[in-house]
Amino acid sequence: MSKKQFKSESKRLLDLMINSIYTHKEIFLREIISNASDAIDKLCFISLTDDKVGMSRSDFNIQIKADKENRILTITDNGIGMDKDDLENNLGTIASSGSYKFKNEMQEKQDDIDIIGQFGVGFYSAFMVAKEITVNTKKYGSDTAYCWQSSGADGYSISEIEKDTVGTEIILKIKDNTEDENYDEFLEQYRLKSLVKKYSDYIRYPILMDMTKSKVKEETKDSDKPEYEDYTETETLNSMVPIWQRRKKDVEQEEYDNFYKEKFMSMDKPLRTIVTSVEGVVTYKALLFIPEKAPYDYYTKEYKKGLQLYSSGVLIMDNCEELLPEHFRFVKGIVDSSDLSLNISREMLQHDRHLITIAQNIEKKIKNELNAMLTGERENYEKFFNAFGRQIKYGVVSDYGMHKQELQNLLMFYSSTEKKLVTLDEYVDRMKEEQKFIYYAMGENAAAIDNLPQTELIRSKGYEMLYCTEEVDEFTLQTLMQYKEKTFCSANNDDLGIENEESKDEENDSTAILTFVKETLGDKVAEVVASKKLVSHPVLLTAKGGISFEMERYFNAVQPEAGMKAQRVLELNMNHNAVKTMTSLVETDIEKAKKYAEVLYSQALLIAGLPLENPSEYTDLICSLI
Ligand code: ADP
């Protein structure tokens, strides 16, 4: 029988496992049992529609056998089993989802040991305790059974064997004790029992083990010196009650955390755990989690939203998308309802009225929990918002703003006066008496926005401003239009609702110079006006009409052929020396005055973050003035 080599990524994982100094080696049992349970899930599901399986739900189980003398631990399941290809693909390479993800995260973090603990690494973790692993398995529907064997890094072999029953048997040859490590514990029945309780209690199939117990010999029962004898009893080690079926008060948060990590392959604890039990028009239990961090693929097409769906404890769909609205697609969890038929097809299920009602309830529940988090656990809510705030904003914008009422008070923006994330409620509560609008400004970051000339007047009045640093921010506020009857106003708007008394009087005197600049610049600008906003800067470019510069930039990036252009309004600060000089030049040196107008316009473009129409012309212009 020839030895095959592991794929190189697998090898790396293997090395890590074999030489692991990780102290919680015990998690290997959880991983093996979880695989066994998944395998049973698969066959159990087939048995619902295929009589040939010949098994009912109560026939499925997982068995653990510890042979202390020979240092062998065996875990047997009567699940779907594996054929030769499965063995090659699943155990010979690292293609399986869980392990692959592990590898990626490991590369990011470089903190191997910690990752084993938090994440678990599937089948390979057995090499932390075993010097040799044998997998005897027969797949449902296949005539041939196979044996996969490996003692680690030197590769693995696969051969045909005789095996009557469908399912898988994992045989671990437990390592010998060393000076520092004691592996005997993984052969001790009470230790194994406690490990099952700790990690695998909610597994929905019985985990059976023959326990050797001792009792008083019948015939010595009444004597002064009773004698004892051993007997064997098969015990079901797990309570089998899924964690979501237990009452919240009976479950420790740590148990929820562990369940979450294992089920959803997460390294982090959930930020919030939501447990609900509903009886009435529909009956269901749901256990939902709000993650702390966005998965690396969250904002890509790869990420699949959905909740696991069970019908009375039997998994019927791994990712039921219909249970979650798009704007809460970050939620993870499970729903178990006795109202759903097991034999219903996926297509039918999508239109099932029970399912629709459950989805509506769940949406409300998540909304309420987020609100509760916002008022009661501010720090956690901010963590949540940093990870998934963008999703909430997309939610406001999408479907023509259909969900905006529901989502608006979950929004947060960075505030210019508070220097932290604030809600719209908080902003409105703080508004000054005479303040008409909720102000916001767009830019790369807070510092860049503070340097924008158009924010100067707002800041000088002491009004709070919301910083919009993400593309979606402006769309979000424009979709909302108002919050609590206060209208949103961009710092770029020509009317900021702030009277600047001095500039009013000057308006008439400045008509001549404004006309001059407009004529000089021609079509480049739609209008030239005396600014009511500028305090220390000479010029400012604002947009007139519905299209802002941010939109111009955005659409030019995604749809350049449309040639979308915002209408430019050049605002001049009539009190600024540069503008005053230009005004006097009109009388004395009109050509130079024209150059000044061009320079000021170019500067306004630069400040607005827009490209110069002709950079070399601009440079020549400046040089001609120096
Ligand atoms: P993961 O469970 O994260 O996919 P593992 O390394 O634990 O990764 O397992 C790899 C794959 O091997 C599983 O996805 C499954 O397809 C297969 N497998 C492991 N154990 C069993 C088993 N007892 N019965 C059937 N298939 C199994």
Side-chain angles (χ1 to χ4, degrees):
M1 197 171 26
S2 67
K3 275 246 146 70
K4 299 195 180 186
Q5 292 304 307
F6 287 102
K7 296 270 160 61
S8 61
E9 311 94 319
S10 312
K11 229 174 157 154
R12 200 178 149 209
L13 248 185
L14 265 177
D15 286 342
L16 182 62
M17 289 303 142
I18 294 163
N19 305 313
S20 170
I21 48 157
Y22 180 59
T23 44
H24 291 90
K25 295 183 161 61
E26 61 192 38
I27 56 114
F28 83 93
L29 190 62
R30 169 189 83 186
E31 303 293 313
I32 300 275
I33 289 176
S34 150
N35 282 345
S37 167
D38 290 348
I40 294 178
D41 270 343
K42 286 177 192 156
L43 190 56
C44 190
F45 187 72
I46 295 175
S47 74
L48 297 173
T49 50
D50 181 350
D51 294 339
K52 287 201 287 297
V53 177
M55 307 232 285
S56 65
R57 196 171 184 287
S58 57
D59 298 327
F60 292 102
N61 61 45
I62 299 165
Q63 294 182 24
I64 300 180
K65 213 169 115 192
D67 174 354
K68 249 177 166 173
E69 236 166 274
N70 297 308
R71 300 188 74 75
I72 285 177
L73 180 65
T74 311
I75 298 104
T76 311
D77 68 68
N78 50 2
I80 186 122
M82 285 177 275
D83 60 17
K84 199 173 175 193
D85 283 348
D86 292 337
L87 284 169
E88 291 271 4
N89 294 333
N90 299 336
L91 304 186
T93 75
I94 200 167
S96 60
S97 59
S99 311
Y100 187 70
K101 188 162 169 249
F102 162 77
K103 191 200 101 199
N104 280 348
E105 304 205 357
M106 184 165 73
Q107 274 171 351
E108 259 168 46
K109 288 226 168 168
Q110 289 300 324
D111 191 355
D112 301 351
I113 302 300
D114 202 34
I115 283 162
I116 302 172
Q118 295 193 43
F119 189 65
V121 286
F123 177 77
Y124 288 106
S125 63
F127 279 109
M128 290 197 288
V129 301
K131 54 182 175 185
E132 185 186 275
I133 302 179
T134 307
V135 180
N136 293 330
T137 181
K138 185 172 177 184
K139 189 167 181 164
Y140 171 69
S142 159
D143 295 330
T144 324
Y146 295 94
C147 168
W148 178 100
Q149 203 166 40
S150 169
S151 5
D154 63 337
Y156 62 93
S157 62
I158 297 176
S159 56
E160 281 187 24
I161 51 158
E162 288 297 317
K163 186 177 186 300
D164 297 335
T165 50
V166 166
T168 304
E169 189 179 45
I170 313 265
I171 303 167
L172 306 178
K173 180 101 182 105
I174 299 296
K175 287 181 185 174
D176 298 320
N177 289 343
T178 64
E179 249 172 57
D180 317 315
E181 299 279 355
N182 174 12
Y183 294 98
D184 288 354
E185 57 173 315
F186 303 118
L187 294 159
E188 299 286 350
Q189 57 179 9
Y190 286 102
R191 177 76 175 127
L192 291 166
K193 179 177 173 175
S194 77
L195 288 180
V196 171
K197 270 263 159 246
K198 180 171 174 189
Y199 292 112
S200 313
D201 193 51
Y202 60 85
I203 294 285
R204 286 166 297 110
Y205 307 100
I207 302 172
L208 307 173
M209 185 159 76
D210 283 344
M211 303 285 282
T212 308
K213 299 180 178 180
S214 141
K215 66 177 178 193
V216 178
K217 275 186 181 168
E218 193 60 29
E219 56 272 26
T220 65
K221 209 168 67 187
D222 301 322
S223 85
D224 298 342
K225 282 191 188 157
E227 286 174 34
Y228 289 83
E229 64 180 351
D230 283 352
Y231 71 102
T232 311
E233 191 179 87
T234 307
E235 250 189 65
T236 302
L237 305 180
N238 53 332
S239 68
M240 281 186 287
V241 182
I243 195 166
W244 59 86
Q245 294 287 2
R246 291 162 62 193
R247 281 178 305 186
K248 190 171 185 185
K249 66 177 176 51
D250 298 336
V251 184
E252 301 282 336
Q253 184 58 42
E254 199 188 338
E255 291 179 75
Y256 284 131
D257 291 352
N258 283 336
F259 174 80
Y260 167 78
K261 282 185 201 168
E262 192 187 332
K263 189 106 199 156
F264 303 108
M265 308 227 198
S266 171
M267 314 232 319
D268 311 301
K269 285 184 196 166
L271 260 187
R272 198 173 177 92
T273 306
I274 307 169
V275 184
T276 111
S277 174
V278 174
E279 275 172 43
V281 191
V282 284
T283 301
Y284 67 88
K285 289 199 160 64
L287 173 57
L288 311 173
F289 299 99
I290 297 178
E292 185 178 9
K293 291 186 186 137
Y296 66 96
D297 61 352
Y298 183 73
Y299 289 103
T300 72
K301 279 205 228 70
E302 308 308 314
Y303 180 87
K304 297 269 175 286
K305 73 159 182 175
L307 299 177
Q308 273 201 342
L309 185 61
Y310 291 82
S311 167
S312 307
V314 179
L315 180 70
I316 50 176
M317 211 188 280
D318 212 18
N319 231 28
C320 183
E321 292 182 31
E322 289 72 21
L323 282 170
L324 282 180
E326 200 55 25
H327 45 263
F328 293 150
R329 68 204 284 270
F330 46 82
V331 174
K332 298 265 178 211
I334 68 101
V335 171
D336 191 346
S337 169
S338 51
D339 293 332
L340 301 169
S341 154
L342 273 180
N343 297 317
I344 194 168
S345 76
R346 198 176 178 125
E347 289 67 33
M348 296 269 288
L349 195 61
Q350 288 167 359
H351 305 291
D352 187 278
R353 72 191 158 82
H354 289 122
L355 194 83
I356 295 170
T357 314
I358 295 175
Q360 286 165 345
N361 287 354
I362 282 182
E363 178 169 1
K364 264 185 234 138
K365 182 76 188 168
I366 297 171
K367 163 91 204 293
N368 291 343
E369 292 281 332
L370 287 173
N371 266 323
M373 196 152 112
L374 177 58
T375 39
E377 295 174 11
R378 178 68 171 221
E379 211 176 300
N380 272 355
Y381 189 82
E382 286 184 19
K383 269 193 207 163
F384 156 76
F385 200 81
N386 282 324
F388 300 108
R390 188 137 56 104
Q391 180 67 65
I392 302 291
K393 294 173 198 167
Y394 287 144
V396 169
V397 176
S398 66
D399 298 334
Y400 305 100
M402 208 166 89
H403 315 285
K404 67 179 182 183
Q405 293 300 339
E406 186 190 343
L407 297 176
Q408 58 187 359
N409 44 2
L410 295 176
L411 290 171
M412 289 191 123
F413 291 92
Y414 198 81
S415 150
S416 63
T417 53
E418 305 304 301
K419 304 288 178 213
K420 61 174 190 192
L421 287 170
V422 300
T423 65
L424 296 176
D425 268 330
E426 289 160 357
Y427 184 106
V428 171
D429 283 349
R430 264 194 301 268
M431 276 173 81
K432 299 202 173 179
E433 216 170 305
E434 77 287 358
Q435 187 182 340
K436 285 193 201 141
F437 299 127
I438 303 177
Y439 295 104
Y440 65 93
M442 280 86 65
E444 282 285 303
N445 51 45
I449 294 175
D450 279 342
N451 283 329
L452 290 175
Q454 60 267 48
T455 62
E456 230 182 347
L457 186 60
I458 304 173
R459 280 181 293 117
S460 73
K461 286 276 175 188
Y463 294 157
E464 184 171 358
M465 225 173 7
L466 302 175
Y467 292 129
C468 293
T469 50
E470 288 189 315
E471 243 159 37
V472 65
D473 288 342
E474 188 192 8
F475 291 107
T476 308
L477 297 179
Q478 286 186 346
T479 307
L480 289 181
M481 288 187 293
Q482 289 197 329
Y483 187 79
K484 289 198 168 163
E485 291 167 18
K486 301 286 180 197
T487 305
F488 289 99
C489 175
S490 160
N492 283 338
N493 277 9
D494 27 345
D495 181 10
L496 290 179
I498 305 172
E499 291 297 327
N500 196 340
E501 300 304 334
E502 293 162 38
S503 50
K504 271 238 142 128
D505 313 334
E506 288 163 12
E507 223 162 276
N508 291 335
D509 323 344
S510 43
T511 323
I513 182 72
L514 296 176
T515 315
F516 167 78
V517 177
K518 169 70 183 114
E519 276 168 7
T520 309
L521 296 176
D523 289 344
K524 289 179 190 165
V525 292
E527 230 177 293
V528 179
V529 298
S531 180
K532 296 175 197 158
K533 309 178 193 141
L534 289 172
V535 181
S536 65
H537 291 269
V539 279
L540 165 65
L541 207 58
T542 53
K544 202 170 103 166
I547 305 162
S548 69
F549 296 134
E550 278 65 30
M551 288 180 182
E552 174 181 321
R553 263 196 297 271
Y554 176 74
F555 283 107
N556 282 337
V558 294
Q559 245 183 329
E561 66 284 357
M564 166 123 29
K565 209 165 178 191
Q567 283 198 60
R568 288 145 165 69
V569 175
L570 181 66
E571 297 195 12
L572 299 180
N573 179 354
M574 305 312 291
N575 295 321
H576 197 280
N577 272 342
V579 177
K580 285 185 179 158
T581 313
M582 174 174 67
T583 311
S584 51
L585 275 174
V586 175
E587 306 296 325
T588 54
D589 184 349
I590 187 131
E591 284 313 309
K592 200 166 185 183
K594 281 182 185 168
K595 286 182 180 174
Y596 271 47
E598 292 282 358
V599 170
L600 286 173
Y601 169 65
S602 298
Q603 287 184 337
L605 279 175
L606 289 174
I607 294 171
L610 294 167
L612 290 177
E613 276 141 35
N614 191 334
S616 68
E617 212 170 81
Y618 174 70
T619 324
D620 291 346
L621 190 63
I622 297 283
C623 289
S624 74
L625 290 171
I626 292 174

